[in-house]
């Protein structure tokens, strides 16, 4: 007998037992109603077995049970309880079934079936955690940042003890956070308390989970960790996260870009909305990291139409699929072409008549452009000139050129080409 059969029998047995127990809780004595209880139990039995099989309760992992699994339980148990109510009313002349019994039975069944799943998950996670602790592979982790990213990271570590990371606590500068428990883990102090907390709790590693904080804050945490000779790693910025979700595999070492993060710019939403709302917008390099983020931000301002222009068909296709799933209301079309192709660009302008242009198409990798300087010139300078000329010719209202900080006192081919483009 495989595990699915065991789980099927366990679910059906608990759900079936809920019927006589519901009668017992409803009535002072059940002996006079033994025949009715047996009949009601047998009447509901095939429906319960059918729902367990149809909903696949026995095929779902109990060790990884989540909110969706509990919702499916509520759905199936609720439907069978509804059948019980119908039977209580429709068969009242043949069967003694108080209206409260289906409600009580539903609550009992939901409690029992949920309990065995949650117990299985908790027991599995504890066993895995113990096994890793015995091996001595578990590292004691201090999370810098008790916001949404920090709590999501802690939850992921608890879900995956095989990662060998055990969350001990958080550090956070927000007022009122100290001593709070977040997903069962305490906030042990502020960022300035890193030295004291690391020593007190024998911390092996600091994970920085503040993807939207400025470079000043990241430098502060990294500096304190270095002073105490504690390894420190970081969650990437929000725009680098896969589908916005935190995963242990995304943790990486702190690099220079993390330390140089700028403070978030507060945007004038009304001014931006004035020239994006109900406008035709062209985004070049739309499949790139910057271009695709521009498209996502533009969508919030309800443009009339967005033209996704790019040279890489794969990246444009991926962006298009994301739009179809996440922003289906966004009117858009794709154009696969190169900004160096003047005739193709002219055809795009004549066909769609864009009113706003965001130009993010560019070669950006410094070492590659040092090895291929002519491509930086043709693409970054020539491509920008093509778009600027066509934008002037087509009376485009707004032209936004995405440049680079490397254009300031440029020391590379790429930086110089972007400076010329400006």
């Amino acid at each position: 007998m495989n595990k699915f059969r065991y789980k099927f029998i366990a679910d059906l047995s608990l759900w079936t037992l809920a019927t006589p127990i519901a009668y017992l809780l409803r009535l002072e004595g059940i002996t006079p109603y033994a025949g009715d209880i047996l009949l009601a139990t047998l009447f509901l039995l095939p429906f319960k077995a059918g729902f367990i099989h149809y909903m696949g309760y026995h095929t779902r992992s109990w060790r990884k049970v989540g909110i969706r699994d509990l919702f499916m339980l509520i759905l199936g148990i609720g439907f069978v309880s509804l059948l019980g109510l119908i039977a209580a009313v429709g068969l009242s002349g043949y069967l003694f079934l108080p209206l409260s019994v289906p409600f009580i039975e539903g609550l009992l069944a939901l409690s029992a079936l949920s309990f065995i799943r949650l117990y299985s998950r908790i027991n599995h996670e504890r066993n895995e955690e113990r096994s890793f602790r015995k091996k001595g592979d578990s590292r004691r982790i201090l999370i810098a940042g008790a916001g949404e990213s920090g709590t999501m990271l802690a939850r992921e570590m608890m879900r995956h003890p095989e990662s060998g990371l055990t969350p001990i606590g958080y550090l956070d500068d927000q007022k009122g956070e100290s001593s709070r428990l977040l997903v069962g883990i305490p906030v042990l102090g502020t960022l300035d308390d890193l030295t004291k907390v690391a020593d007190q709790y024998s911390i092996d590693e600091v994970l920085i989970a503040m993807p939207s904080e400025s470079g000043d804050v990241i430098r502060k945490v990294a500096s304190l960790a270095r002073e105490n000779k504690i390894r420190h790693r970081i969650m990437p910025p929000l725009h680098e996260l896969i589908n916005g979700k935190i995963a242990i595999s995304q943790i990486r070492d702190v690099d220079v870009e993390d330390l140089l993060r700028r403070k978030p710019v507060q945007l004038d939403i009304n001014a931006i909305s004035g020239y994006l709302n109900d406008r035709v917008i062209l985004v070049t390099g739309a499949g790139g990291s910057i271009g695709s983020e521009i498209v996502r931000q533009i969508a919030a301002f309800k443009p009339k139409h967005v033209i996704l222009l790019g040279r890489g068909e794969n990246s444009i296709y991926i962006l298009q699929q994301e739009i179809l799933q996440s922003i289906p209301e966004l009117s858009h079309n794709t154009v696969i072409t190169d900004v160096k192709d003047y005739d193709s660009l002219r055809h795009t302008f004549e066909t769609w008549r864009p009113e706003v242009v965001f130009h993010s198409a560019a070669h950006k990798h410094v070492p590659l452009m040092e090895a291929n300087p002519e491509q930086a010139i043709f693409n970054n300078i020539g491509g920008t000139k093509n778009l600027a000329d066509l934008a002037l010719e087509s009376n485009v209202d707004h032209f936004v050129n995405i440049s680079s900080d490397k254009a300031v006192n440029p020391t590379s081919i790429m930086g110089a080409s972007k400076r010329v483009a400006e």
Side-chain angles (χ1 to χ4, degrees), residues 12 60 91 106 142 157 236 268 300 323 344-345 371-372 395 409 413:
L12 185 58
R60 295 173 179 268
L91 302 175
L142 181 63
M157 284 190 277
D268 186 342
I323 290 172
S344 179
L345 289 179
N372 303 276
N395 295 315
N409 298 322
I413 294 293

Side-chain angles (χ1 to χ4, degrees), residues 46-90:
F47 294 105
K48 295 173 181 178
F51 260 92
I52 292 172
H53 185 271
Y54 177 73
M55 304 292 278
Y57 292 160
H58 59 304
T59 62
R60 295 173 179 268
S61 172
W62 289 4
R63 294 177 175 180
K64 302 293 182 182
V65 66
I67 297 298
R68 180 176 175 79
D69 298 294
L70 297 181
F71 175 77
M72 298 300 285
L73 282 178
I74 294 171
L75 195 64
I77 292 171
F79 193 85
V80 172
S81 295
L82 180 61
L83 288 177
L85 284 173
I86 294 171
V89 175

Side-chain angles (χ1 to χ4, degrees), residues 34 46 134 167 171 185 209 235 246 249 281 288 295 310 321-322 341 344 350 385 405 419:
K134 285 179 182 178
L171 295 179
I185 299 169
M235 291 302 305
I246 301 290
S249 60
I281 302 171
V295 173
Q321 294 306 302
E322 179 186 332
D341 188 340
S344 179
E350 291 176 348
K385 185 177 186 303
D405 54 4
R419 181 62 176 268

Side-chain angles (χ1 to χ4, degrees), residues 251-269:
I251 300 171
R252 56 169 171 75
D253 291 329
V254 178
D255 60 28
V256 175
E257 291 184 1
D258 296 312
L259 303 177
L260 296 177
R261 284 185 195 170
R262 296 175 178 85
K263 292 182 179 179
V265 176
Q266 299 300 316
L267 300 177
D268 186 342
I269 300 300

Side-chain angles (χ1 to χ4, degrees), residues 110-417:
L110 181 61
S111 300
L113 270 61
S114 299
F115 174 78
I116 59 172
R117 284 160 171 76
L118 291 174
Y119 177 79
S120 177
R121 172 174 171 171
I122 293 169
N123 191 53
H124 173 70
E125 290 179 354
R126 281 180 177 173
N127 288 338
E128 281 200 337
E129 187 176 344
R130 285 171 188 159
S131 67
F132 277 96
R133 281 180 178 174
K134 285 179 182 178
K135 293 176 183 177
D137 294 335
S138 183
R139 296 174 62 79
R140 297 172 64 82
I141 303 299
L142 181 63
I143 301 173
E148 185 176 354
S149 297
T151 53
M152 286 174 66
L153 181 58
R155 192 177 288 113
E156 281 297 296
M157 284 190 277
M158 290 188 288
R159 283 177 180 169
H160 300 282
E162 69 275 8
S163 67
L165 305 176
T166 302
I168 302 302
Y170 308 94
L171 295 179
D172 199 281
D173 284 343
Q174 291 296 321
K175 290 181 179 179
E177 289 290 345
S178 184
S179 301
R180 283 185 59 194
L181 284 175
L182 302 172
V183 295
I185 299 169
V187 179
L188 300 174
T190 66
L191 299 178
D192 290 323
D193 296 325
L194 191 151
T195 300
K196 179 180 70 176
V197 171
D199 181 61
Q200 182 179 350
Y201 292 90
S202 302
I203 298 301
D204 297 312
E205 184 173 355
V206 174
L207 296 184
I208 305 171
M210 298 181 287
S212 59
E213 284 289 354
S214 67
D216 292 339
V217 178
I218 306 303
R219 287 196 298 274
K220 174 182 177 180
V221 177
S223 176
L224 287 170
R226 278 197 303 272
E227 287 174 10
N228 291 276
K229 297 180 180 179
I230 300 172
R231 185 185 182 190
H232 51 286
R233 291 187 289 165
I234 192 170
M235 291 302 305
L238 290 173
H239 68 271
E240 292 182 21
L241 297 179
I242 301 171
N243 298 322
K245 296 180 179 179
I246 301 290
I248 293 174
S249 60
Q250 293 171 313
I251 300 171
R252 56 169 171 75
D253 291 329
V254 178
D255 60 28
V256 175
E257 291 184 1
D258 296 312
L259 303 177
L260 296 177
R261 284 185 195 170
R262 296 175 178 85
K263 292 182 179 179
V265 176
Q266 299 300 316
L267 300 177
D268 186 342
I269 300 300
N270 292 328
I272 295 172
S273 179
Y275 74 86
L276 294 182
N277 181 251
D278 201 34
R279 297 294 186 92
V280 178
I281 302 171
L282 169 65
V283 180
T284 71
S289 58
I290 296 175
S292 59
E293 184 59 28
I294 288 173
V295 173
R296 296 183 193 101
Q297 299 296 331
I298 285 172
F301 296 97
K302 296 181 171 54
K304 178 190 281 186
H305 190 77
V306 179
I307 305 146
L308 312 175
L309 187 147
R311 184 175 60 178
E313 63 174 72
N314 189 52
S315 58
I316 292 292
Y317 173 78
I318 291 172
L319 175 61
Q320 184 184 44
Q321 294 306 302
E322 179 186 332
I323 290 172
L324 292 174
Q325 292 180 14
S326 305
I327 336 170
E329 69 279 5
L330 181 64
S331 173
H332 68 281
N333 73 287
T334 61
V335 176
I336 304 299
T337 190
D338 195 314
V339 291
K340 299 193 294 290
D341 188 340
Y342 184 85
D343 292 336
S344 179
L345 289 179
R346 173 181 285 279
H347 177 71
T348 300
F349 273 82
E350 291 176 348
T351 302
W352 297 102
R353 296 291 177 185
E355 300 164 271
V356 180
V357 173
F358 284 89
H359 175 41
S360 69
H363 287 319
K364 303 180 180 70
H365 293 281
V366 172
L368 292 178
M369 292 306 98
E370 292 296 311
N372 303 276
E374 70 283 356
Q375 293 304 314
I377 295 168
F378 293 152
N379 194 77
N380 296 355
I381 299 175
T384 302
K385 185 177 186 303
N386 287 341
L387 282 159
D389 289 342
L390 287 167
L392 284 170
E393 186 181 315
S394 303
N395 295 315
V396 166
D397 293 335
H398 291 83
F399 185 104
V400 181
N401 179 52
I402 309 300
S403 190
S404 164
D405 54 4
K406 296 176 179 64
V408 181
N409 298 322
T411 58
S412 65
I413 294 293
M414 193 284 283
S417 67

